[in-house]
Amino acid sequence: MKIVDVCGFYAAAGGGVRRYVDAKFAAAARAGHQLTVIAPAEKSRIEERDGGQVTWVASPVMPFDSRYRRFGARADVWAAIDRAAPDVLEASSPWTSAEFAAAWTGQAKRSLVFHQDVVAAYAHTVLDGVLARSAIDALCAPWWLRIRRLSKRFDVTVTGGEWLAKRLGDHGVANAVTVPFGIEAGRFKPGLRDESLRAELLAKCGLGREAKLLLGVSRFHPEKRLPSVIAAVAQARRQRPGLGLAIVGHGLAQASVRRAARKAGGVVLLGGVEDRQTLARIYASADLFVHGSAAETYGLAVGEAIASGLTVIAPARGGAGDLARSGRSKLYRPGDPVDGSRAILEALGGKVDPPTAPPPGSLDEHFTELFALYERLLTAP
């Protein structure tokens, strides 16, 4: 197959989307498919890859994050699609990428890959604790109307978890299909635990080896609710001293995360860790994993923590909470530091919920299932 992915959030300095797309190239090469990723960049150029190519399209900078750009001229994107002549045309976000892909006049099966629940990421993040979730969704009725109309212009809407397919179905999206996301096979494992690294991270928190090391891995964005996570750890420390928190990540909410870390104390911000083996060692060397986002479509960091043998503290909503049930976990009310503190203390005391779902699958399995779905689309009447 020739697969073309119009991917507005693919960038050289990106995080999860970049890793996902790079893994898709490797999977396409193994399966004998040709993948073309169309992405915004400073200058138009073509970059050859194993499994296909990246067609970079000259585009303006994003207003709030200079690492990313947004598609400008629709004609430039359409021209790139024409040159690639896809059998399957993907859009990887419900924004401009989807509008351009849906309006392209060529012949191809179309897939909307739903990587972000915008209502959960923004409206729920801001209004949780003020309004009920159902009321927030009702206020966002125009958005759900847009998604219903948009999804009808695609043959399938792909989600990374059953919970999200159900959520879309509840809002009238009729063609949602689950193709579970996954993590890098064999990368994350408990056997990588390094007591010297653990002691080094605790020392950066001002603590000794006898303390407990909590870990967060997250993009710094308001939807990730990192200040709430930091506040929950600080609250737990009042009852149980000797808790250090290491956070891997960076992003546009850097200032608010730094303020919260300074106020709480005992927190070290490690920045982005690009080397995946080093990141796997950090995971395995922690004692507990804490997560804040209730808007994950899947929750890659949660899956990586589970594979590393960690108990996960996560919000009881969204992809993170859903995936946390695949391992030892304790859930809490999203955005509530007091309830987050309760979950942390219970987990440290050995009161955790056992796994109630299969462990996270691999990205290889995800792409095998995704490509099989596309092959079925192409052979369907």
Coordinates of all heavy atoms in Angstrom, one line a residue, residues 9 62 64-65 67-68 95 116-123 125-126 217-230 247-258 291-296:
F9 N 1.5 17.8 13.5 CA 2.3 17.9 14.7 C 3.6 17.1 14.7 O 4.2 16.8 15.7 CB 1.5 17.5 15.9 CG 0.4 18.5 16.2 CD1 -0.9 18.4 15.8 CD2 0.7 19.7 16.9 CE1 -1.9 19.3 16.1 CE2 -0.3 20.7 17.2 CZ -1.6 20.5 16.8
M62 N 4.0 28.0 14.8 CA 2.9 28.0 15.8 C 3.0 29.2 16.7 O 4.2 29.5 17.2 CB 2.9 26.7 16.6 CG 2.3 25.5 15.9 SD 0.5 25.5 16.1 CE 0.1 23.9 15.6
F64 N 2.3 29.6 19.9 CA 2.6 29.4 21.3 C 3.8 28.4 21.5 O 4.2 28.2 22.7 CB 1.4 29.0 22.1 CG 0.2 30.0 21.9 CD1 -0.9 29.6 21.2 CD2 0.3 31.2 22.5 CE1 -2.0 30.5 21.1 CE2 -0.7 32.1 22.3 CZ -1.9 31.7 21.6
D65 N 4.3 27.8 20.5 CA 5.3 26.8 20.7 C 6.2 26.8 19.4 O 5.8 26.2 18.4 CB 4.8 25.5 20.9 CG 5.8 24.5 21.4 OD1 7.0 24.7 21.2 OD2 5.4 23.5 22.1
R67 N 8.6 25.2 18.5 CA 9.1 23.9 18.0 C 8.2 23.4 16.9 O 8.7 22.5 16.1 CB 9.1 22.8 19.1 CG 10.1 23.1 20.2 CD 10.0 22.0 21.3 NE 8.6 22.0 21.9 CZ 8.1 20.9 22.4 NH1 8.8 19.8 22.5 NH2 6.9 20.9 22.9
Y68 N 7.0 23.9 16.8 CA 6.0 23.3 15.8 C 5.6 24.4 14.8 O 5.7 25.6 15.1 CB 4.8 22.8 16.6 CG 5.1 21.6 17.5 CD1 5.4 21.8 18.8 CD2 5.1 20.3 17.0 CE1 5.6 20.8 19.7 CE2 5.4 19.3 17.8 CZ 5.6 19.5 19.1 OH 5.9 18.4 20.0
W95 N -7.6 19.0 13.4 CA -7.5 20.4 13.0 C -7.3 20.5 11.5 O -8.0 19.9 10.7 CB -6.4 21.1 13.8 CG -6.6 21.0 15.3 CD1 -6.0 20.1 16.1 CD2 -7.4 21.7 16.1 NE1 -6.4 20.3 17.4 CE2 -7.3 21.3 17.4 CE3 -8.3 22.8 15.9 CZ2 -8.0 21.8 18.5 CZ3 -9.0 23.3 16.9 CH2 -8.9 22.9 18.2
Q116 N -6.0 13.1 19.8 CA -6.2 14.1 20.9 C -7.7 14.3 21.1 O -8.5 14.6 20.1 CB -5.5 15.4 20.6 CG -5.7 16.4 21.7 CD -5.1 17.8 21.3 OE1 -5.3 18.3 20.2 NE2 -4.4 18.4 22.3
D117 N -8.2 14.2 22.3 CA -9.5 14.6 22.7 C -9.4 16.0 23.2 O -9.0 16.3 24.3 CB -10.0 13.7 23.9 CG -11.4 14.0 24.4 OD1 -11.9 15.1 24.0 OD2 -11.9 13.2 25.1
V118 N -9.8 16.9 22.3 CA -9.6 18.3 22.5 C -10.4 18.8 23.7 O -10.0 19.7 24.5 CB -10.0 19.1 21.2 CG1 -10.0 20.6 21.5 CG2 -9.0 18.8 20.1
V119 N -11.6 18.3 23.8 CA -12.5 18.8 24.9 C -11.9 18.4 26.3 O -11.8 19.2 27.2 CB -13.9 18.2 24.8 CG1 -14.8 18.5 26.0 CG2 -14.6 18.7 23.5
A120 N -11.4 17.2 26.4 CA -10.7 16.7 27.6 C -9.4 17.5 27.9 O -9.2 17.9 29.0 CB -10.4 15.2 27.6
A121 N -8.7 17.8 26.8 CA -7.4 18.5 27.0 C -7.5 19.9 27.4 O -6.7 20.4 28.2 CB -6.6 18.4 25.6
Y122 N -8.6 20.6 26.9 CA -8.7 22.0 27.2 C -9.9 22.3 28.1 O -9.7 22.8 29.3 CB -8.8 22.8 25.9 CG -7.5 22.7 25.1 CD1 -7.5 21.8 24.0 CD2 -6.4 23.4 25.4 CE1 -6.3 21.7 23.3 CE2 -5.2 23.3 24.7 CZ -5.2 22.4 23.6 OH -4.0 22.3 22.9
A123 N -11.1 22.0 27.7 CA -12.3 22.4 28.5 C -12.3 21.7 29.9 O -12.5 22.3 30.9 CB -13.5 22.1 27.7
T125 N -9.7 20.4 31.5 CA -8.6 20.8 32.3 C -8.9 22.1 33.0 O -8.6 22.3 34.2 CB -7.4 21.0 31.4 OG1 -7.0 19.7 30.8 CG2 -6.2 21.5 32.2
V126 N -9.6 23.0 32.3 CA -9.9 24.4 32.9 C -11.1 24.3 33.8 O -11.1 25.0 34.9 CB -10.2 25.4 31.7 CG1 -10.7 26.7 32.3 CG2 -8.9 25.6 30.9
V217 N 6.9 11.5 33.8 CA 7.4 11.7 32.5 C 6.3 12.3 31.7 O 5.2 11.7 31.5 CB 7.9 10.4 31.9 CG1 8.4 10.6 30.4 CG2 9.0 9.7 32.7
S218 N 6.5 13.5 31.2 CA 5.3 14.2 30.6 C 5.8 15.5 29.8 O 6.8 16.1 30.2 CB 4.4 14.7 31.7 OG 3.3 15.5 31.2
R219 N 5.1 15.7 28.8 CA 5.3 17.0 28.1 C 4.7 18.1 29.1 O 3.8 17.9 29.8 CB 4.4 17.0 26.8 CG 4.5 18.2 25.9 CD 3.9 17.9 24.6 NE 2.6 17.3 24.6 CZ 1.5 17.9 24.5 NH1 1.5 19.2 24.4 NH2 0.3 17.3 24.6
F220 N 5.4 19.3 29.1 CA 5.0 20.4 29.9 C 3.9 21.2 29.2 O 4.2 22.1 28.4 CB 6.2 21.3 30.3 CG 7.2 20.7 31.2 CD1 7.1 19.4 31.6 CD2 8.2 21.5 31.8 CE1 8.0 18.8 32.5 CE2 9.1 20.9 32.7 CZ 9.0 19.6 33.0
H221 N 2.7 20.8 29.5 CA 1.5 21.5 28.9 C 0.4 21.5 29.9 O 0.3 20.6 30.8 CB 1.1 20.7 27.6 CG 0.0 21.3 26.8 ND1 -1.3 21.3 27.1 CD2 0.1 22.1 25.6 CE1 -2.0 22.0 26.2 NE2 -1.2 22.4 25.3
P222 N -0.5 22.5 29.9 CA -1.5 22.6 30.9 C -2.4 21.3 31.0 O -2.7 21.0 32.2 CB -2.4 23.8 30.4 CG -1.4 24.7 29.7 CD -0.5 23.7 29.0
E223 N -2.6 20.6 29.9 CA -3.5 19.4 30.0 C -2.8 18.3 30.8 O -3.5 17.4 31.3 CB -3.8 18.9 28.6 CG -2.7 18.2 27.9 CD -3.0 17.7 26.6 OE1 -3.1 18.5 25.6 OE2 -3.2 16.5 26.4
K224 N -1.5 18.4 31.0 CA -0.8 17.3 31.8 C -0.9 17.6 33.3 O -0.5 16.7 34.0 CB 0.7 17.3 31.3 CG 0.9 17.1 29.9 CD 0.3 15.8 29.4 CE 0.7 15.5 27.9 NZ 0.1 14.2 27.4
R225 N -1.3 18.8 33.7 CA -1.6 19.1 35.1 C -0.4 18.7 36.0 O -0.6 18.3 37.1 CB -2.8 18.3 35.6 CG -4.0 18.5 34.7 CD -5.3 18.0 35.4 NE -6.4 17.8 34.4 CZ -7.7 17.9 34.7 NH1 -8.0 18.2 35.9 NH2 -8.6 17.6 33.8
L226 N 0.8 19.1 35.6 CA 2.0 18.8 36.4 C 2.0 19.6 37.7 O 2.5 19.0 38.7 CB 3.3 19.0 35.6 CG 3.6 17.9 34.6 CD1 4.7 18.4 33.7 CD2 3.9 16.6 35.2
P227 N 1.6 20.8 37.8 CA 1.6 21.5 39.1 C 0.7 20.8 40.1 O 1.0 20.7 41.3 CB 1.0 22.9 38.7 CG 1.5 23.1 37.3 CD 1.4 21.8 36.7
S228 N -0.4 20.2 39.6 CA -1.3 19.4 40.5 C -0.5 18.1 41.0 O -0.7 17.7 42.2 CB -2.5 19.0 39.7 OG -3.3 18.2 40.5
V229 N 0.2 17.5 40.1 CA 1.0 16.3 40.5 C 2.0 16.7 41.6 O 2.2 16.0 42.6 CB 1.7 15.7 39.3 CG1 2.7 14.6 39.7 CG2 0.7 15.1 38.4
I230 N 2.7 17.8 41.4 CA 3.8 18.3 42.3 C 3.1 18.6 43.6 O 3.6 18.3 44.7 CB 4.5 19.5 41.7 CG1 5.3 19.1 40.5 CG2 5.4 20.1 42.8 CD1 5.9 20.2 39.7
I247 N 11.1 14.7 37.4 CA 10.2 14.8 36.3 C 11.0 15.0 35.0 O 11.9 15.8 34.9 CB 9.3 16.1 36.4 CG1 8.4 16.0 37.7 CG2 8.4 16.3 35.2 CD1 7.6 17.2 37.9
V248 N 10.7 14.1 34.0 CA 11.4 14.2 32.7 C 10.4 14.9 31.8 O 9.2 14.5 31.7 CB 11.7 12.7 32.2 CG1 12.2 12.8 30.8 CG2 12.7 12.0 33.1
G249 N 10.9 15.9 31.0 CA 10.1 16.5 30.0 C 10.4 18.0 29.9 O 11.2 18.6 30.6
H250 N 9.7 18.6 28.9 CA 9.8 20.1 28.7 C 8.6 20.5 27.9 O 7.8 19.7 27.5 CB 11.1 20.4 28.0 CG 11.4 19.6 26.7 ND1 10.6 19.8 25.6 CD2 12.2 18.6 26.5 CE1 11.0 19.0 24.7 NE2 12.0 18.3 25.2
G251 N 8.5 21.8 27.7 CA 7.3 22.3 26.9 C 6.9 23.7 27.3 O 7.6 24.4 28.1
L252 N 5.8 24.1 26.7 CA 5.4 25.5 26.8 C 5.0 25.9 28.2 O 5.0 27.1 28.5 CB 4.3 25.8 25.8 CG 3.0 25.1 25.9 CD1 2.0 25.8 26.8 CD2 2.4 25.0 24.5
A253 N 4.6 25.0 29.1 CA 4.2 25.3 30.5 C 5.4 25.3 31.4 O 5.2 25.1 32.6 CB 3.1 24.4 30.9
Q254 N 6.6 25.5 30.9 CA 7.8 25.4 31.7 C 7.8 26.3 32.9 O 8.2 25.9 34.0 CB 9.0 25.7 30.8 CG 10.4 25.5 31.5 CD 10.9 24.1 31.2 OE1 10.4 23.4 30.3 NE2 12.0 23.7 31.9
A255 N 7.3 27.5 32.8 CA 7.4 28.5 33.9 C 6.5 28.0 35.0 O 6.9 28.1 36.2 CB 6.9 29.8 33.4
S256 N 5.3 27.6 34.7 CA 4.4 27.1 35.8 C 4.9 25.9 36.5 O 4.7 25.8 37.7 CB 3.0 26.9 35.3 OG 2.9 25.8 34.4
V257 N 5.5 25.0 35.8 CA 6.0 23.8 36.4 C 7.2 24.1 37.3 O 7.3 23.6 38.4 CB 6.5 22.7 35.3 CG1 7.1 21.5 36.0 CG2 5.2 22.3 34.5
R258 N 8.1 25.0 36.8 CA 9.2 25.4 37.7 C 8.8 26.1 38.9 O 9.3 25.9 40.0 CB 10.1 26.4 36.9 CG 10.9 25.7 35.8 CD 12.0 26.6 35.2 NE 12.8 25.9 34.2 CZ 13.8 25.1 34.4 NH1 14.1 24.8 35.6 NH2 14.4 24.5 33.4
H291 N 1.2 10.5 37.4 CA 0.8 11.1 36.2 C -0.4 12.0 36.4 O -1.2 11.7 37.4 CB 0.3 10.0 35.2 CG 0.3 10.4 33.8 ND1 1.4 10.7 33.1 CD2 -0.8 10.6 32.9 CE1 1.1 11.1 31.8 NE2 -0.2 11.0 31.7
G292 N -0.5 13.1 35.6 CA -1.5 14.1 35.9 C -2.6 14.2 34.9 O -3.7 14.7 35.2
S293 N -2.4 13.8 33.6 CA -3.3 14.1 32.5 C -4.5 13.2 32.5 O -4.3 12.0 32.5 CB -2.6 14.0 31.2 OG -3.5 14.2 30.1
A294 N -5.7 13.8 32.5 CA -6.9 13.0 32.3 C -7.4 13.1 30.8 O -8.5 12.7 30.5 CB -8.0 13.6 33.2
A295 N -6.5 13.6 29.9 CA -6.9 13.8 28.5 C -6.1 12.9 27.6 O -6.1 13.2 26.4 CB -6.7 15.3 28.2
E296 N -5.4 11.9 28.1 CA -4.6 11.1 27.2 C -5.5 10.2 26.3 O -6.5 9.7 26.8 CB -3.7 10.1 28.0 CG -2.8 10.8 29.0 CD -1.6 11.5 28.3 OE1 -1.6 11.6 27.1 OE2 -0.7 11.9 29.0

